[in-house]
Amino acid sequence: MYDNLLYEVTGAVCRITLNRPHVYNALSPGLIHDITTAIEAAGIDDQVRVVVITGAGDKAFSSGADLKEGVTNPASSDGEFALALGNSLRATYHPMIRAIRTLAKPVIGRINGVAAGAGCSLALACDVVICTDDAYFSQIFVNIGLIPDAGSTFFLPRLIGPQRAFDLCSTGRRVYGPEAAQIGLVNRSVAAIDFDSTIDSITAYYASAPTLAIGIMKKVLNQSLYSDLDHQLEQEADNQDLLGHSADAKEGINAFLSKRKANFSGK
């Protein structure tokens, strides 16, 4: 079904594995398209309640854009070259990042190795990011005279603040797992031996969580990034009213009153 990734659904968990280990899972146009399509497929599959994105092998989540495939014939004029890059972003990376951010289900980034350039952007677009202590993140765009793209200029300042974001973007330095967790770039950094059990624990939680509420929560939190208090108060009221009619809210309230664990259906 996909040429550049592995797509597997087990129970309520969808696992998307970038499958170009020979180039450290570099993001070719074909892989980017496959990721976008896979995310959309997970979105319409009622069985899926949580998505995990990771990379094949044990060295890389994604090394970034595959320049050999993505920029094959740069024009001689600087202006035309910039226009070509912009159009490429709009046609490939933008739909992929929007698909992840608008997916009404939690997306877990399982960062098993290097996440550089647009690979770092892809990781930061996830809702929960877990990495190994040996994994590292790098905004390597500056090394080829470009700015971060695929959403990094949006995510970084909001995650770690403008000064740290400028540091990472302007130097391209490597940020390894422990520092990434310390500055808020990722949720958690763990030893390799604990990596899979940590991911399994998180996905197990989301696989049985109230998916409808979490999807709406994600939407409202996204809006809060460029909203004001009055708008957010209304968003909370409108969406809480919607969720008040859901099966999960009924189950959750009954379970609370009965002093038992809720059995959420995700609806």
Side-chain angles (χ1 to χ4, degrees), residues 3 7 43 54 59 64 67 78 89 121 129 146 151 155 193 219 235 255:
D3 295 329
Y7 184 93
T54 191
K59 294 183 178 179
L67 296 181
D78 289 342
L89 288 171
S121 303
V129 182
L146 297 175
F155 300 121
I193 194 171
K219 177 189 72 172
Q235 286 296 304

Side-chain angles (χ1 to χ4, degrees), residues 107-109 111 123-124 126-131 137 185-188:
V107 179
I108 313 302
I111 314 306
L124 300 183
C126 298
D127 299 303
V128 178
V129 182
I130 309 297
C131 69
F137 301 80
L185 192 65
V186 302
N187 294 78
R188 200 182 311 175

Side-chain angles (χ1 to χ4, degrees), residues 25-105:
N25 302 316
L27 294 164
S28 64
L31 176 54
I32 297 167
H33 177 268
D34 280 356
I35 294 170
T36 306
T37 303
I39 290 291
E40 291 171 347
I44 61 176
D45 187 341
D46 290 339
Q47 179 180 337
V48 173
R49 294 169 69 176
V50 57
V51 176
V52 178
I53 302 179
T54 191
D58 57 3
K59 294 183 178 179
F61 172 72
S62 173
S63 58
D66 189 335
L67 296 181
K68 291 182 179 179
E69 286 200 26
V71 183
T72 54
N73 295 301
S76 59
S77 165
D78 289 342
E80 292 179 4
F81 181 61
L83 179 61
L85 289 176
N87 286 341
S88 176
L89 288 171
R90 295 183 186 99
T92 57
Y93 288 103
H94 293 188
M96 176 182 73
I97 298 300
R98 288 190 181 108
I100 294 170
R101 293 312 312 151
T102 58
L103 180 67
K105 300 172 184 181

Side-chain angles (χ1 to χ4, degrees), residues 133-259:
D133 290 341
D134 294 333
Y136 71 83
F137 301 80
S138 176
Q139 294 288 338
I140 56 174
F141 301 91
V142 68
N143 295 342
I144 56 173
L146 297 175
I147 68 166
D149 58 31
S152 271
T153 63
F154 180 85
F155 300 121
L156 275 173
R158 288 163 172 79
L159 288 169
I160 62 176
Q163 291 181 328
R164 283 192 173 125
F166 181 79
D167 170 37
L168 268 55
C169 292
S170 63
T171 66
R173 70 178 181 86
R174 295 181 179 184
V175 180
Y176 284 88
E179 182 187 0
Q182 190 271 323
I183 66 176
L185 192 65
V186 302
N187 294 78
R188 200 182 311 175
S189 176
V190 299
I193 194 171
D194 299 320
F195 191 40
D196 285 333
S197 62
T198 301
I199 296 294
D200 289 345
S201 175
I202 293 170
T203 55
Y205 164 74
Y206 283 112
S208 60
T211 312
L212 178 62
I214 288 174
I216 291 178
M217 188 185 305
K218 178 175 176 177
K219 177 189 72 172
V220 176
L221 287 171
N222 282 342
Q223 293 172 345
S224 75
L225 298 173
Y226 34 81
S227 184
D228 57 36
L229 176 60
D230 287 341
H231 178 77
Q232 287 307 117
L233 290 172
E234 284 303 311
Q235 286 296 304
E236 290 171 357
D238 289 345
N239 286 286
Q240 207 73 297
D241 189 45
L242 174 65
L243 288 168
H245 295 83
S246 70
D248 276 348
K250 180 180 179 181
E251 166 63 11
I253 292 169
N254 286 335
F256 176 81
L257 294 175
S258 302
K259 297 182 180 181

